[in-house]
Amino acid sequence: MALRRYNASRMSGWLLILAFVMTVSASVLNMKRASVCNGHAELCNRSYGNTTFLGAHDSFAFSSDPFALARDQEVDIPTQLGLGVRLLQAQAHMKNGALHFCHTDCVLFDGGTVQDYLTTVHTFLQANPNEVLTFIFTNPEGVSLPNVWDPAFQASGIAQMAYVPPSIPTKQSDWPTLGEFIDSGKRVIVFLDAGADTDRSVPYILPEFPMIWETPFSVTDASFPCSVDRTAGPLATTDHMYMINHSLNKDIFGLGIIVSDPLDAPTTNSVTSIMANAAGCEPLAAGRAPNFVLLDFVNIGQGLQAVNQLNGLA
Ligand SMILES: *[C@@H]1O[C@H](CO)[C@@H](O)[C@H](O)[C@H]1NC(C)=O
Ligand SMILES: *[C@@H]1O[C@H](CO)[C@@H](O)[C@H](O)[C@H]1NC(C)=O
Ligand SMILES: *[C@@H]1O[C@H](CO)[C@@H](O)[C@H](O)[C@H]1NC(C)=O
C-alpha cells in the first residue's frame, strides 16, 4: 500500500516534468522560423548584402496617361509590389508644410504625401509578413529627419518595422539574412541620400552612400557603361552594396529636357539588357551582382526574371 502510494506520487512528479518540457518546447517551436523569404525558400539563408532586389525608380510617379511626361511608372504602388518590386525609390519635397513625393518639383508631378505613401506600403507589409523591403529616398531639400521624416514613418506604422544595424556603416558582408530580418519583425531597410549621415537622431533612417554606390543617373546610352558614380564614407567600394540605375532617358527635341520613354522599356527591361548592365558592373564589385536593379516602367519587360537569374533562382 505504502509502496503504491509512493509510486503514484513519483509518477505525478514525472508527469509534471513532462508537461513542463512539452510546454517549453512548444513555445520554442512557436517562435516559428520563416521558411519562405521574398517568395523563395533559398533566400531565407541569404544575406541581405548578397541578394538582388527589383527596384522601382520614382515609384510614386505613376500614371497611365501617356501624356504625363513626368511619369516614370505606369502602375500604382500595390501593383508594383505585386510585380515583385522590393526596392521603392522616391524623391521628397515640401509642399504647403507637408512632405510630398514629387518629381523635380511638385508642379511637374505630385505623388501625394509621404505619410499616405508609407501607409499604402504598410498595408502591403502587414498582408505579406515574409517580405523584406527597402526604401531609397532622396532628400534634396535637406528636410529634417526628426521633425518631418520620422513623424511620417511613425504615423504609417512602418517605423516599428524598420531595421537598425548595430553599427554604421555596415559592410556588404555584414548584413543579416532575409530570414533573420523576417523572424525579428524588422524587415524594412530605410536609406536616405542626404541628411542621415550628419543627423543620426533617427537611428533607422540610414545614410545611403556610405553603404551603397550607384551607377550614373540620367543615362541616355543604351549600352549602360558602368562606373561608380555616387559613393561616400570610409568603406572600400567593394564593401558597399550597389544599385544599377537601369533606365534609359530621352533628350526630347534635343532641348536638354530628359524624359523617360516607355517605348524603350521592353528592350531596356529585358533580361538581356539587365544582365549585360550587371555584367559590366561586376568587375567593380569583386564579381558580385548588383543588389538593386532600379527600373522605370516595372510593369513592362522582364525585370523580375532578370533579378531571379541574378539571385541564382532561375
Ligand atoms: C544557412 O547557412 C549556414 C552558414 O551560412 C549553414 O551552416 C546552414 O546549413 C544554412 N542553412 C540552410 C537551411 O541552408
Ligand atoms: C552572392 O554571392 C554569389 C556567390 O558568392 C555571387 O555569385 C553573387 O553575385 C552574389 N550576389 C550579390 C547580389 O552579392
Ligand atoms: C538614379 O537613381 C537615383 C536614386 O538614388 C535617382 O535620383 C536618379 O533619378 C536615377 N536616375 C535614373 C536615370 O534613373
Side-chain angles (χ1 to χ4, degrees):
M1 217 41 179
L3 186 65
R4 208 183 267 164
R5 194 171 298 136
Y6 167 74
N7 273 347
S9 70
R10 203 159 80 153
M11 180 86 122
S12 62
W14 279 115
L15 280 175
L16 217 73
I17 291 169
L18 186 67
F20 177 73
V21 167
M22 282 173 67
T23 311
V24 169
S25 50
S27 69
V28 167
L29 289 175
N30 264 338
M31 287 167 48
K32 59 171 195 269
R33 282 284 191 74
S35 57
V36 176
C37 301
N38 284 32
H40 299 276
E42 298 90 327
L43 294 182
C44 289
N45 212 21
R46 185 88 59 94
S47 144
Y48 175 70
N50 190 234
T51 309
T52 304
F53 298 92
L54 178 62
H57 176 233
D58 282 339
S59 52
F60 66 92
F62 57 84
S63 169
S64 55
D65 176 3
F67 296 103
L69 287 184
R71 69 176 181 161
D72 282 317
Q73 301 294 339
E74 288 183 341
V75 296
D76 64 11
I77 301 297
T79 309
Q80 292 174 28
L81 291 166
L83 288 166
V85 166
R86 293 295 177 270
L87 160 69
L88 292 167
Q89 191 266 346
Q91 186 184 112
H93 296 266
M94 289 302 283
K95 179 184 176 183
N96 304 330
L99 194 62
H100 283 231
F101 281 132
C102 297
H103 198 179
T104 316
D105 61 56
C106 292
V107 176
L108 211 51
F109 197 108
D110 181 2
T113 67
V114 170
Q115 186 178 318
D116 286 349
Y117 172 105
L118 292 175
T119 302
T120 301
V121 178
H122 183 254
T123 302
F124 168 85
L125 288 168
Q126 273 196 314
N128 296 277
N130 281 29
E131 299 295 322
V132 173
L133 182 87
T134 304
F135 293 118
I136 296 184
F137 291 151
T138 67
N139 189 24
E141 294 170 5
V143 167
S144 163
L145 276 64
N147 300 336
V148 181
W149 283 97
D150 183 47
F153 274 101
Q154 296 292 349
S156 71
I158 289 200
Q160 292 91 296
M161 295 181 168
Y163 173 72
V164 179
S167 70
I168 287 172
T170 305
K171 278 185 177 177
Q172 172 271 334
S173 56
D174 287 347
W175 291 89
T177 64
L178 301 200
E180 287 166 341
F181 277 144
I182 290 165
D183 294 343
S184 71
K186 305 288 183 188
R187 54 194 173 91
V188 178
I189 302 90
V190 182
F191 292 103
L192 199 62
D193 72 335
D197 42 355
T198 47
D199 185 348
R200 296 295 316 129
S201 67
V202 185
Y204 65 86
I205 302 186
L206 311 176
E208 178 188 1
F209 296 116
M211 295 181 268
I212 299 174
W213 63 263
E214 287 184 0
T215 60
F217 44 88
S218 276
V219 174
T220 49
D221 180 345
S223 73
F224 291 101
C226 194
S227 61
V228 178
D229 187 65
R230 295 212 277 176
T231 186
L235 294 182
T237 301
T238 48
D239 285 331
H240 285 64
M241 298 187 284
Y242 74 106
M243 180 178 88
I244 57 170
N245 240 333
H246 192 81
S247 51
L248 199 58
N249 294 315
K250 273 210 158 40
D251 182 353
I252 44 167
F253 318 124
L255 293 174
I257 301 169
I258 303 289
V259 296
S260 199
D261 188 351
L263 298 180
D264 292 324
T267 312
T268 305
N269 295 353
S270 67
V271 169
T272 313
S273 179
I274 294 169
M275 295 308 280
N277 190 353
C281 287
E282 284 168 12
L284 301 172
R288 283 186 305 101
N291 297 90
F292 306 105
V293 174
L294 194 68
L295 301 181
D296 282 346
F297 308 112
V298 286
N299 59 314
I300 302 174
Q302 303 154 309
L304 189 61
Q305 207 177 314
V307 163
N308 285 341
Q309 211 163 309
L310 290 167
N311 278 326
L313 297 169

